[in-house]
Amino acid sequence: MNRAPHKSAQAASPHLLARHRAGRLWKTGFSLSILFGLIALAALLFNVIDQSAGLLVTANKVDPSTLAEKPLEELSVKELTQILKSNLSNNRIKTIERNGVLMGRTQAELLELIDEQIVKPEVIASYHLFESLRHETEIRQQALGKNPDARIEWKIWLNWHFLTNVMSSNAQYAGVRTALLGSLFLIAVSILMAFPIGVGAAIYLEEYSDRRLRINRIIQTNIDNLAGVPSIVYGILGLAIFVRALSPLTSGVIFGVEGGNGRTILSAALTMALLILPVIIINAQEAIRAVPSSLRQAAYGLGATRWQTIWHHVLPYAMPGILTGSILAVSRAIGETAPLIVVGAATFITQDPNGVFSRFTALPIQIYNWTTRPQPEFRNIAAAAILVLLLSLLSMNAVAILLRNKFSRR
Amino acid sequence: MQTTLDQQDHTPIIEARDTHLYYGKFRAVKEFDLKVQPRKITAIIGPSGCGKSTVLRSFNRMNDFVPSFRLEGEVLFHNQNIYAPEIDPVFIRGQIGMVFQKPNPFPKSIYENVAWGARINGIKGNMDELVERTLRQAALWDEVKDGLKNSALSLSGGQQQRLCIARALAVQPEIILMDEPCSALDPIATLKIEELMRELSVNYTIIIVTHNMQQAARASDMTAFFTMDEDRAGIMVEYDQTSKLFTTPRDQRTEDYITGRYG
């Protein structure tokens, strides 16, 4: 009676073939979406890496061989100090000695100082990585043809000096230490503010609020909408409230900090906390809602109070999801530039942040600043700073993922 | 002596009196009176949607979590109305434990599953002993004693359900409510739970909802039969000793149901 699925019967079913064909078509479409994403990512990485290394052509303002009879590397600390003192003005020496007297420094540090202050190599041209690799000989010939004294070297802009140096108006000596520390400070303070408040709000909305009340539905709608508000708007809010209105608090004046204004890490972190709060709340709510009701019932059935149920069962179960959501929020915050510009991040600052009341700059601010400079070598350090930003983002996410896995190990 | 014991036995431990159960405007269960005898197994049977679970949950105020739920009448536990305003439902749930349809152990270790309820209820004393004693009572000790630190989710369905029973026992309740505790289990695990219920009924009062009539007939002392009337509200048709209800039902609807002529 029933037809056996013979091969011939199958072949004679054009409808089935059409169904499979449609399925394959969709699958191809979905693969293309992934391919598109991969291409975009590859282009981004290529572009950044291409700019962050390459051939650099420089010419010295002063020939180092004219400074002393012997090569500088063979001179003692005392002789090097002497060279510095005789070639630089007293005021300049004073400025330098603010960070430590010359005699107290090592030979390597003094050599660096001489290079930076007296020899002053100027960038003539800077080439991207792949261009340099392909046309190295032409570039060398061309550069030497224009300027026989030119020094041509391979330069990887993202190096230890770049990480540990402070800002400089010369791209060769500029570093991201201040900006990196500023970003880390900023993110740490905003997480400390936003995470507990966000999770608390999510717990209230999911576990305590009565959805039949209109006010709670209005609160929910508003939080959903706040997540989509452009970040510049938060910046203006932060400027009005934290920088201006609460200036005695955010500048630290009431805590005895002298001469401060409201443009501090605290103001920026509070603004950033406001910015990521809706995202944290929504994701935490999502995670809490995903806790099976059977788990809650089991706890209530044993005579647990609502809070015991939340603390011992709902939160631990929801924590991986809450952390995932918070990672997303923090990733957004670390790259935010607009609100920081508005609340007054400094663009040129050489002092490390030393507390929540200090002035600051942040990585995206530096990157933005450097890309707007006309000299091409600043684009190289901007690319290097982007790599620093990406790497710090990756390592922060890695920590968060480790935390998440620790919570979800059962 | 004999008379006092008898009398004690006939004083209900928990009793629904003129009780109506509502979800919003919908009357889920119409007026019913149910006197539950201590240290007996009382089964509640009936077709799907007749409000068996709602009735069971009204005995330890688990319906409180349904915002639209309302109860008229009273439920007396040791002659105290548990729906009186001064009664704390959290306290009631500590006295009247619950085992659910689907095994729902906490995603923690076996030990923690048993110990947690006792700990949050402020039970002091040797926790290791308590865990061992309750796991023995739940006939699970021999199977898990070497792996108390293992996740409860690594157990089989039947073992998980017995762990849930052990978890309920650790809080030292007087009554255990069971909401179709075997419906997600295979026949062998089901038999084990039934044996366990029989052993537990020496010390505990058990009320079990089941849609399995054989189970009610096998495992219970008293049976209440619920069904739906014309406006879809649950009603209690008959409540009697299990042996009587299954052999000589007084109501035609009960007879139809137990002989399989209904739904």
Side-chain angles (χ1 to χ4, degrees):
Chain A
M1 281 294 274
N2 52 354
R3 253 190 306 163
H6 275 306
K7 272 224 160 103
S8 53
Q10 260 186 43
S13 164
H15 184 56
L16 182 64
L17 289 178
R19 270 153 63 201
H20 280 305
R21 210 177 305 123
R24 273 196 297 275
L25 208 64
W26 281 105
K27 189 185 156 197
T28 316
F30 300 140
S31 316
L32 283 178
S33 323
I34 287 291
L35 190 68
F36 180 77
L38 285 178
I39 289 172
L41 181 66
L44 173 83
L45 284 179
F46 174 83
N47 196 15
V48 173
I49 291 170
D50 188 36
Q51 294 199 37
S52 63
L55 281 174
L56 179 70
V57 184
T58 54
N60 294 334
K61 214 171 180 188
V62 176
D63 188 355
S65 58
T66 61
L67 291 173
E69 267 135 47
K70 289 193 277 182
L72 290 175
E73 286 76 14
E74 291 171 19
L75 296 178
S76 69
V77 169
K78 204 174 168 189
E79 287 163 308
L80 288 173
T81 310
Q82 204 52 52
I83 292 176
L84 273 168
K85 282 194 171 155
S86 55
N87 283 284
L88 292 175
S89 70
N90 277 342
N91 278 340
R92 190 81 204 118
I93 296 286
K94 264 188 202 154
T95 316
I96 294 166
E97 288 207 316
R98 250 185 241 155
N99 296 325
V101 290
L102 293 178
M103 289 298 286
R105 303 193 180 193
T106 64
Q107 197 205 18
E109 280 172 344
L110 289 171
L111 284 173
E112 225 171 85
L113 259 181
I114 290 174
D115 193 52
E116 190 179 334
Q117 300 291 337
I118 305 168
V119 178
K120 283 192 178 168
E122 275 177 359
V123 177
I124 293 175
S126 139
Y127 297 89
H128 291 175
L129 178 61
F130 293 94
E131 191 186 3
S132 310
L133 285 173
R134 265 182 292 140
H135 308 295
E136 185 172 358
T137 38
E138 290 100 308
I139 289 171
R140 280 182 189 276
Q141 277 165 5
Q142 206 182 9
L144 286 174
K146 272 189 201 155
N147 184 349
D149 292 336
R151 192 164 68 181
I152 306 163
E153 59 182 352
W154 280 97
K155 175 97 177 174
I156 296 168
W157 293 93
L158 178 59
N159 51 36
W160 186 245
H161 274 229
F162 184 70
L163 289 179
T164 54
N165 276 12
V166 295
M167 283 290 289
S168 163
S169 52
N170 184 333
Q172 290 186 79
Y173 305 110
V176 287
R177 190 178 75 199
T178 336
L180 184 58
L181 287 174
S183 273
L184 293 178
F185 236 111
L186 195 62
I187 289 301
V189 178
S190 16
I191 293 174
L192 283 181
M193 303 269 178
F195 187 76
I197 296 176
V199 176
I203 291 173
Y204 170 77
L205 287 171
E206 283 305 311
E207 298 285 332
Y208 292 102
S209 81
D210 183 349
R211 278 309 154 89
R212 288 173 301 174
L213 293 183
R214 185 184 214 128
I215 177 76
N216 287 319
R217 288 205 304 269
I218 293 175
I219 290 173
Q220 182 69 57
T221 312
N222 275 298
I223 289 173
D224 294 346
N225 286 333
L226 278 176
V229 169
S231 54
I232 189 99
V233 177
Y234 282 98
I236 289 167
L237 181 77
L239 178 70
I241 295 179
F242 301 128
V243 178
R244 299 260 165 80
L246 296 178
S247 143
L249 177 77
T250 52
S251 64
V253 166
I254 58 170
F255 302 105
V257 178
E258 274 170 37
N261 62 19
R263 302 171 188 282
T264 55
I265 287 190
L266 185 59
S267 292
L270 286 169
T271 310
M272 216 54 119
L274 279 189
L275 175 77
I276 61 178
L277 207 47
V279 184
I280 292 185
I281 294 176
I282 289 169
N283 283 302
Q285 274 187 284
E286 219 48 77
I288 290 171
R289 216 174 294 150
V291 176
S293 66
S294 66
L295 202 61
R296 288 193 181 88
Q297 301 233 332
Y300 289 135
L302 290 172
T305 63
R306 194 178 278 261
W307 172 240
Q308 284 172 325
T309 306
I310 294 171
W311 180 249
H312 291 277
H313 298 294
V314 175
L315 277 185
Y317 196 96
M319 201 38 90
I322 293 177
L323 283 177
T324 312
S326 305
I327 295 168
L328 288 176
V330 168
S331 309
R332 180 177 172 195
I334 198 173
E336 275 297 347
T337 323
L340 294 184
I341 294 177
V342 179
V343 297
T347 45
F348 193 97
I349 186 172
T350 54
Q351 241 172 353
D352 291 343
N354 55 7
V356 290
F357 299 124
S358 57
R359 296 168 65 227
F360 72 100
T361 185
L363 280 170
I365 297 279
Q366 280 317 311
I367 295 166
Y368 171 69
N369 180 250
W370 283 334
T371 50
T372 55
R373 303 260 187 128
Q375 302 97 320
E377 64 268 25
F378 277 99
R379 242 149 286 156
N380 295 127
I381 56 173
I386 287 172
L387 284 179
V388 174
L389 183 64
L390 288 180
L391 287 174
S392 43
L393 187 64
L394 278 180
S395 43
M396 259 187 242
N397 283 3
V399 171
I401 287 167
L402 284 178
L403 270 177
R404 188 182 70 188
N405 289 348
K406 195 177 157 260
F407 272 108
S408 53
R409 197 174 301 135
R410 305 217 152 102
Chain B
M1 263 332 252
Q2 192 58 46
T3 42
T4 25
L5 262 179
D6 253 349
Q7 219 158 23
Q8 252 179 9
D9 266 0
H10 285 95
T11 314
I13 184 166
I14 194 161
E15 174 186 2
R17 196 180 281 172
D18 293 343
T19 310
H20 301 253
L21 307 176
Y22 293 87
Y23 288 119
K25 290 210 173 78
F26 173 64
R27 182 153 65 170
V29 182
K30 265 187 194 168
E31 179 180 352
F32 69 99
D33 291 86
L34 189 60
K35 291 186 168 126
V36 176
Q37 305 294 320
R39 289 181 296 282
K40 289 264 178 353
I41 300 174
T42 304
I44 300 176
I45 60 170
S48 303
C50 71
K52 307 185 291 286
S53 288
T54 307
V55 169
L56 188 76
R57 280 156 185 259
S58 66
F59 284 136
N60 71 342
R61 297 195 60 173
M62 282 299 277
N63 282 326
D64 288 21
F65 297 105
V66 181
S68 61
F69 176 77
R70 198 158 47 83
L71 176 139
E72 273 175 19
E74 26 185 39
V75 177
L76 302 171
F77 175 52
H78 290 306
N79 283 321
Q80 162 72 51
N81 181 13
I82 63 170
Y83 283 85
E86 71 272 16
I87 294 292
D88 183 352
V90 171
F91 173 78
I92 294 299
R93 290 183 210 120
Q95 306 294 306
I96 305 173
M98 188 143 193
V99 175
F100 298 85
Q101 186 169 2
K102 224 178 116 226
N104 56 352
F106 299 126
K108 295 170 186 271
S109 72
I110 293 167
Y111 184 97
E112 266 308 302
N113 261 278
V114 181
W116 186 76
R119 206 180 294 134
I120 57 151
N121 277 284
I123 293 171
K124 297 271 170 355
N126 190 333
M127 205 48 88
D128 293 357
E129 255 175 39
L130 177 79
V131 169
E132 177 172 347
R133 193 173 69 238
T134 44
L135 283 173
R136 277 189 196 282
Q137 274 183 303
L140 190 60
W141 174 252
D142 291 329
E143 291 158 64
V144 300
K145 63 185 174 195
D146 298 322
L148 290 176
K149 292 274 167 281
N150 292 351
S151 167
L153 301 180
S154 64
L155 299 176
S156 73
Q159 288 173 323
Q160 285 188 9
Q161 196 61 302
R162 275 178 283 150
L163 179 65
C164 291
I165 294 173
R167 181 173 72 180
L169 295 176
V171 180
Q172 297 165 10
E174 290 184 55
I175 304 177
I176 301 171
L177 308 178
M178 296 185 170
D179 190 356
E180 301 189 25
C182 301
S183 64
L185 304 180
D186 64 59
I188 294 168
T190 301
L191 272 181
K192 274 194 177 164
I193 301 271
E194 284 174 15
E195 276 168 27
L196 176 59
M197 279 163 45
R198 188 48 72 195
E199 284 163 27
L200 291 176
S201 68
V202 176
N203 295 311
Y204 298 89
T205 307
I206 294 174
I207 309 175
I208 176 174
V209 162
T210 177
H211 56 206
N212 178 339
M213 275 180 291
Q214 285 77 22
Q215 182 169 53
R218 272 195 308 264
S220 70
D221 302 309
M222 301 290 289
T223 300
F225 171 63
F226 280 75
T227 190
M228 270 178 292
D229 66 1
E230 309 79 46
D231 53 347
R232 301 184 46 77
I235 42 167
M236 190 169 93
V237 176
E238 197 166 342
Y239 176 48
D240 212 333
Q241 286 177 6
T242 301
S243 49
K244 280 192 193 158
L245 188 130
F246 276 93
T247 49
T248 51
R250 278 170 288 151
D251 196 291
Q252 185 59 41
R253 287 169 294 180
T254 315
E255 191 173 347
D256 287 352
Y257 185 72
I258 59 176
T259 52
R261 251 174 285 169
Y262 177 100

